[in-house]
Amino acid sequence: MNHRSNCFSAAALAWLLTLGVTATGRGESIWIEGEDAQTRQVTRHNWYDGVKKDVLSGGEWLSHFDPDRPGRAEYEFDAPRAGQYTFWIRANHIKSSLAYRLNGGDWIPIRLDRNQRGALNIARDNKPDLRFLAWAEAGQVALRAGRNRIELRMDSPAQNHGAVDCFCLTTDRWVPSGTLKPSDKPPPAAPDSWFAVVLGDDPLSEQSVTDVSYLVETPAGKHGFLQVDGDRLRFERAAQPVKFWGINASPRDLPAGDMRQAARWYRKHGINLVRQHTVLDAVGLLDAQGNFDAARLDRYDRWFAALKEQGIYTTWSVIYPHHGPFLQRHDGYDPQLFAELDAADTNHDGSRQAIVVNDVINLDRDLQDIAWRYFDKLLKHTNPYTGLPYKDDPALAILEFQNESNVFFHTLSGLRRGQYPRFAARLRKAFFEFVKQKYGDRQQVAEAWSNRWDQDDRWEAGELGLMGAHHWGGDGPLFEFSNQRRRAGDYIEFLSGLQRDYYVRREQQVRRIGFRGVTVSTAWKSGGPAASMANLLADTAAGMIDRHNYYGGGAGGHAIAEGEVENRTHLAEPGRGLLALGMFQVEGKPFCVSEWSMLPPSPYKAEAAPLVAFYGLGLQGWDVSCHFACNSHRMGDGWPDLRKYATETPHYIGQFPALAIAIHRNHVREGDVVARRQLSRDDVFSGRDVLGQALSSGRAGAGGNPDDFKDFAGRPSTSPATLAVGRVTVGFRQDPQSETRELEPFHDQQRHVLTSTTGELAWHYQGQRRIEVRAARTQAIVGQAGGQTIDLPAVNVDVRTPFVSLIFTSLDDRPLAESGRILITAMARDQQTGSRYNEDWSRLIQVGGPPLLMEPVQATIRLAGATPQTIRPLDGHGLPLESAVPVLADGSFTIDGRYRAYYYEVRR
């Protein structure tokens, strides 16, 4: 069957009139369709009107696209009484200029980025051009009783373009979402009724049950600088290690009040770290005099201070060589090399003043030194809102040398094919010098390399041919370098030396100017498997190991669009996907995952945050997690902006309170090390992937399967399923002695269950795939549990919903069986209003639009211990709703769609 849109389909929400005046009981609202102007002077354009009209309020909009004249429209309407009304408008906000005039007054520009909600790309072909739509708050307007007139003007610099779907004038505390009107009421709720999630700014009430801000001490830095303490992180004046449950977030154009709101909102959800990616995106580039843009720097200073005040630490991702341009013509860089990089920059127009340098930065000390100017300037800058230079502020906890860039990635493979010819020539000479120093003369090289020479080898000219990431196969080099393992190992060793020298020098530089926090090199994988461990070894030059990983998603690139959907679940592949990063923990080093997500529109993405929290920061002992990414100071609308990277959704930040409690209060214990792999230098530079675990596309881990833990490609390896049992580490020693614990006691092959060494986690990987959390103070069921009755140590659950993330959290930190207050976090699948999938959710047929719809968790629950006195459904802010869940005589109760909630509080 095709999955039904749900009870809040677009048809169910359709309003019969295009012009309506509504009394809601709390205020009046006037709703006007854009296309219903009494007079108009607009020019339609076939391309501009090629939009998805199913997401428009009346199935149409008023649009204008004309380079010769602005567009105008006039609307007359009656207001039931005089007063101040909030003016909301749903219009095209991309490169758009829109103004209004009320009752013949002055023209007032509308800030289309003000309090913006529900942004959508509505282009029928999904192209990211000008055809977008969002709600924006135009401000307060004074209406007179009776007849009023509003005029709209569209005069954007680009073709005077503009479009209006609808607008609403209201005295209600109404929050717009998609085509929902203030007067719309949901149909009667049934147990299986999907429910809409529409949330305004969080009131941050002290009555919120989900407020876990007490877990985050204020201000950030009160216990001194963050330090590496073996394989842990600890503040210099703290007795215990610390873990960070964080997000990627940026100030963008938030006003000061919204910055404070955002920081408080993050803290409320247990967030104690924000990664600024990138700092240059926030503050801009240095001008020719060596200064930042004062306004942008001031905005970032205010953002940092707002986070610090709320106890939230910061990690800096300063530069992104692949994406953010930082090399400028006035930097004094070699003009010929600048021109070479400029030619390779796909966005260049022949006159670019700033360009992207890609991974070439790892080969060129001059580029590294230019990048250093940004570190030096930023770290020495005194934030006027904290009174401290950043280098002296312990709230700046972690410093990353560069984002997602290393010498081993595919982007440098072009050096062999003629890209960057001057850089390639320099690298060929440098490789020659390395080989000559290692072996002595040509004869000894010939013996080591089995007398195999490359077409680019010119010994007499002092040059040796280069390799690319595509050559570094798992079992040895590929293509023209097939069977030349020794040469491949030498080339990887050569590159590793260049990379490590860069990191060591940067580490020395930041320490020399006084930075006292923790450092990270980069968070990126090698392009070819054979270089995987060399890349990891180079990363040990900094204080902490960091990695990124993504899973899921579908068509549309970085945006959500109709087409194929990745509908796999982690739960069928223990240790793979996001958790595969655990194969790269280095013994004696803290471990960080500074970017991760399971991307929409994957139907099972609610499993991701619990997996990272319970298995990553819990069992595996990871130290830092930063979900990617949050672009808001409140819960998003629908699938926010149709971005695949969004923290501000119920599946992510909505589960954070329960997960933050488990992390910050150590509810899930760290496991024993069950696979301690140690490698010698010869192993690392062997020209092959000795561990068989190179990371690729968010899926790979080591070989093997949960049922037999067999070797990968005929050589000893560690199955990724081991990560479901205990910790896995890699060490680098001259005399390696690997240790692998017997895993069979933790593996029930008949039931297909992997149990952790702590006994607190169980992974069912066949049939109805799920994980069970069986700790004393947090228990959970995550996965395909529909039709099952599951006994946890303190909870019996009869689940009827096919897929759930159902978490039981002790709010008083006593064991669940004894707890007097319990938070139930109940998530299932989500979709937008009007979304349509095929039967197995492998294709998104129609994207739809806001509001977001949540599938209710239907379950009958019985808690061990005393019978509950009250069970209250909570709204998305954690505040009690009017209804209550009845408790039966045997102490059981049922949660379902009648309550339109994903939080419940149990008191007893």
Side-chain angles (χ1 to χ4, degrees):
M1 67 174 183
N2 283 344
H3 181 72
R4 58 181 178 149
S5 293
N6 44 63
C7 64
F8 262 22
S9 66
L13 296 175
W15 190 242
L16 298 177
L17 300 175
T18 56
L19 172 60
V21 178
T22 305
T24 66
R26 291 179 298 181
E28 286 81 26
S29 296
I30 304 165
W31 182 281
I32 301 174
E33 294 292 340
E35 63 271 21
D36 287 344
Q38 276 81 12
T39 62
R40 69 187 74 189
Q41 298 173 1
V42 295
T43 303
R44 307 294 293 268
H45 191 285
N46 286 338
W47 167 81
Y48 195 72
D49 284 336
V51 297
K52 301 173 183 178
K53 295 189 177 181
D54 62 284
V55 300
L56 299 177
S57 173
E60 189 54 84
W61 65 353
L62 177 85
S63 68
H64 177 71
F65 194 90
D66 188 334
D68 297 325
R69 64 186 179 95
R72 296 276 291 272
E74 182 178 313
Y75 305 83
E76 290 191 354
F77 59 92
D78 289 327
R81 59 175 58 103
Q84 291 291 319
Y85 287 70
T86 302
F87 181 13
W88 287 96
I89 188 164
R90 196 178 193 217
N92 190 334
H93 60 288
I94 297 295
K95 298 181 179 179
S96 182
S97 175
L98 186 64
Y100 77 92
R101 181 164 64 180
L102 176 63
N103 294 327
D106 295 333
W107 285 101
I108 300 175
I110 297 175
R111 278 196 55 184
L112 292 169
D113 61 347
R114 179 181 176 182
N115 209 358
Q116 189 183 102
R117 297 182 58 88
L120 294 171
N121 176 355
I122 64 170
R124 193 181 297 139
D125 55 11
N126 292 316
K127 290 184 177 178
D129 41 51
L130 290 176
R131 295 168 292 175
F132 283 74
L133 194 64
W135 281 102
E137 185 181 353
Q140 296 289 312
V141 296
L143 298 185
R144 57 198 180 200
R147 184 64 47 164
N148 288 265
R149 185 176 75 254
I150 280 184
E151 299 168 78
L152 297 177
R153 184 181 67 204
M154 294 165 274
D155 56 358
S156 308
Q159 311 296 321
N160 289 303
H161 87 91
V164 177
D165 177 31
C166 54
F167 57 94
C168 183
L169 302 149
T170 182
T171 61
D172 201 349
R173 291 178 298 163
W174 173 74
V175 176
S177 181
T179 61
L180 280 178
K181 300 179 176 69
S183 58
D184 285 333
K185 303 298 181 185
D192 62 348
S193 296
W194 292 52
F195 58 94
V197 177
V198 181
L199 296 170
D201 286 4
D202 195 316
L204 301 172
S205 168
E206 294 181 356
Q207 305 304 313
S208 173
V209 177
T210 58
D211 184 349
V212 296
S213 58
Y214 56 85
L215 298 171
V216 181
E217 290 188 279
T218 60
K222 68 181 298 182
H223 297 298
F225 289 89
L226 187 66
Q227 297 181 335
V228 171
D229 184 9
D231 62 354
R232 299 287 183 269
L233 296 175
R234 184 176 57 80
F235 294 117
E236 59 183 344
R237 295 193 299 273
Q240 298 299 322
V242 62
K243 288 186 183 292
F244 290 100
W245 185 243
I247 58 174
N248 287 257
S250 182
R252 301 191 181 272
D253 295 320
L254 290 176
D258 286 351
M259 287 184 183
R260 290 190 293 272
Q261 172 78 11
R264 293 180 65 198
W265 189 57
Y266 298 165
R267 182 182 175 221
K268 172 186 175 178
H269 289 84
I271 293 165
N272 61 343
L273 180 73
V274 161
R275 178 173 181 255
Q276 177 60 47
H277 173 64
T278 63
V279 181
L280 294 196
D281 281 346
V283 304
L285 301 181
L286 292 169
D287 62 21
Q289 288 71 46
N291 297 313
F292 289 111
D293 179 273
R296 293 179 67 177
L297 182 59
D298 181 75
R299 183 167 62 244
Y300 180 73
D301 287 339
R302 285 189 286 111
W303 174 241
F304 182 94
L307 294 172
K308 178 178 180 177
E309 181 183 39
Q310 291 301 316
I312 299 171
Y313 292 81
T314 294
T315 175
W316 274 0
S317 166
V318 179
I319 62 169
Y320 186 8
H322 280 285
H323 175 71
F326 75 85
L327 179 62
Q328 303 176 87
R329 292 188 187 277
H330 62 65
D331 284 329
Y333 190 61
D334 183 296
Q336 291 183 315
L337 296 178
F338 186 98
E340 195 165 282
L341 291 169
D342 189 21
D345 187 343
T346 56
N347 294 317
H348 87 108
D349 60 6
S351 61
R352 287 283 295 275
Q353 297 302 306
I355 58 174
V356 173
V357 302
N358 287 317
D359 290 323
V360 174
I361 189 173
N362 300 290
L363 306 174
D364 189 319
R365 183 162 183 161
D366 289 340
L367 288 176
Q368 296 162 16
D369 289 344
I370 290 171
W372 168 248
R373 298 175 190 173
Y374 288 93
F375 288 81
D376 186 65
K377 185 80 172 179
L378 287 163
L379 288 169
K380 291 178 179 176
H381 168 69
T382 297
N383 184 332
Y385 303 101
T386 64
L388 292 172
Y390 281 109
K391 67 182 179 65
D392 296 331
D393 196 329
L396 178 59
I398 303 168
L399 183 65
E400 178 186 72
F401 297 159
Q402 60 190 22
N403 179 70
E404 292 187 355
S405 176
N406 62 46
V407 76
F408 302 105
F409 202 57
H410 291 288
T411 48
L412 292 181
S413 296
L415 289 165
R416 180 172 174 81
R417 299 190 296 265
Q419 190 180 35
Y420 309 124
R422 288 179 174 80
F423 287 102
R426 288 167 50 172
L427 198 60
R428 287 194 297 270
K429 292 181 183 297
F431 182 43
F432 170 85
E433 293 299 328
F434 170 84
V435 170
K436 183 178 179 182
Q437 183 176 8
K438 180 172 183 176
Y439 291 104
D441 57 32
R442 189 179 190 280
Q443 180 59 37
Q444 292 184 69
V445 175
E447 291 177 6
W449 291 2
S450 302
N451 209 28
R452 299 272 301 272
W453 299 98
D454 179 58
Q455 61 181 9
D456 292 336
D457 291 340
R458 292 185 291 276
W459 187 269
E460 293 75 14
E463 294 188 2
L464 291 174
L466 310 178
M467 300 179 75
H470 60 289
H471 292 121
W472 303 326
D475 290 314
L478 304 172
F479 308 111
E480 66 269 36
F481 292 103
S482 179
N483 297 318
Q484 298 185 53
R485 190 177 293 167
R486 183 65 268 148
R487 178 178 182 137
D490 287 341
Y491 191 70
I492 291 169
E493 183 181 4
F494 159 67
L495 292 181
S496 181
L498 293 178
Q499 188 73 79
R500 190 173 176 85
D501 286 349
Y502 168 24
Y503 293 156
V504 168
R505 187 169 62 257
R506 186 67 85 235
E507 176 79 16
Q508 293 170 343
Q509 288 171 320
V510 300
R511 300 305 179 194
R512 192 176 300 124
I513 68 170
F515 176 70
R516 295 166 58 189
V518 173
T519 57
V520 163
S521 58
T522 189
W524 206 223
K525 58 192 175 186
S526 62
S532 178
M533 289 298 104
N535 178 47
L536 187 60
L537 177 62
D539 288 333
T540 63
M544 179 167 61
I545 302 299
D546 190 8
R547 285 294 180 267
H548 295 170
N549 208 0
Y550 292 92
Y551 190 86
H558 295 302
I560 300 170
E562 290 86 357
E564 296 298 317
V565 173
E566 180 56 80
N567 68 344
R568 289 179 303 139
T569 168
H570 284 86
L571 303 176
E573 305 175 299
R576 293 185 182 270
L578 297 175
L579 294 182
L581 296 173
M583 307 297 283
F584 294 83
Q585 288 191 84
V586 174
E587 64 179 11
K589 289 277 186 180
F591 190 73
C592 170
V593 182
S594 63
E595 286 187 27
W596 64 271
S597 193
M598 187 172 177
L599 308 177
S602 294
Y604 305 121
K605 64 184 184 298
E607 72 190 23
L611 283 171
V612 170
F614 297 139
Y615 278 88
L617 277 76
L619 184 69
Q620 292 300 316
W622 298 352
D623 301 279
V624 181
S625 160
C626 291
H627 183 257
F628 195 86
C630 187
N631 282 10
S632 182
H633 61 288
R634 61 178 174 228
M635 189 69 78
D637 195 23
W639 289 326
D641 304 339
L642 295 184
R643 288 180 286 114
K644 285 188 176 162
Y645 312 98
T647 306
E648 62 270 28
T649 67
H651 280 171
Y652 286 107
I653 203 165
Q655 296 193 88
F656 277 16
L659 301 178
I661 290 173
I663 292 163
H664 296 317
R665 288 185 161 173
N666 299 308
H667 283 193
V668 177
R669 288 179 293 148
E670 186 176 310
D672 299 333
V673 175
V674 294
R676 180 177 286 109
R677 291 90 47 80
Q678 295 183 357
L679 303 176
S680 68
R681 189 174 184 84
D682 289 343
D683 292 327
V684 173
F685 303 124
S686 65
R688 61 196 289 262
D689 179 13
V690 294
L691 293 181
Q693 65 169 48
L695 186 67
S696 175
S697 302
R699 179 177 173 84
N705 66 70
D707 276 339
D708 55 20
F709 295 98
K710 286 183 179 178
D711 292 346
F712 176 85
R715 60 181 179 272
S717 66
T718 303
S719 167
T722 308
L723 294 167
V725 175
R727 297 184 68 204
V728 177
T729 62
V730 178
F732 300 101
R733 301 188 180 185
Q734 282 305 107
D735 299 312
Q737 293 185 349
S738 298
E739 301 174 17
T740 301
R741 183 169 171 176
E742 176 59 48
L743 300 179
E744 291 307 314
F746 307 100
H747 185 196
D748 186 333
Q749 295 193 45
Q750 289 186 336
R751 296 176 56 237
H752 307 293
V753 179
L754 292 164
T755 301
S756 65
T757 60
T758 63
E760 294 178 336
L761 301 173
W763 192 311
H764 299 249
Y765 56 85
Q766 284 193 15
Q768 289 200 313
R769 306 176 180 102
R770 66 179 186 273
I771 64 166
E772 296 174 7
V773 180
R774 308 173 67 84
R777 294 170 293 168
T778 289
Q779 295 175 21
I781 302 164
V782 180
Q784 298 164 345
Q788 296 289 303
T789 299
I790 298 169
D791 281 311
L792 300 174
V795 190
N796 173 273
V797 189
D798 179 8
V799 183
R800 291 181 288 285
T801 309
F803 169 83
V804 300
S805 174
L806 187 55
I807 307 171
F808 302 88
T809 306
S810 169
L811 292 176
D812 54 18
D813 215 34
R814 291 187 288 172
L816 278 170
E818 304 169 9
S819 177
R821 292 182 64 220
I822 296 171
L823 172 66
I824 300 175
T825 305
M827 303 278 179
R829 295 170 294 189
D830 72 4
Q831 62 180 53
Q832 296 199 115
T833 300
S835 294
R836 289 194 297 119
Y837 289 81
N838 66 351
E839 184 175 358
D840 67 355
W841 296 66
S842 64
R843 174 170 285 274
L844 183 60
I845 300 168
Q846 185 169 294
V847 170
L852 186 73
L853 300 162
M854 296 290 293
E855 181 180 21
V857 171
Q858 301 180 69
T860 298
I861 300 165
R862 184 170 181 176
L863 300 167
T867 299
Q869 295 179 352
T870 61
I871 300 170
R872 302 186 299 175
L874 310 173
D875 69 11
H877 302 310
L879 297 172
L881 295 169
E882 293 179 358
S883 58
V885 180
V887 180
L888 301 184
D890 65 354
S892 67
F893 57 93
T894 297
I895 61 173
D896 56 37
R898 292 173 295 171
Y899 304 104
R900 298 190 176 104
Y902 50 79
Y903 294 136
Y904 299 83
E905 182 197 27
V906 178
R907 286 179 176 265
R908 56 185 184 176

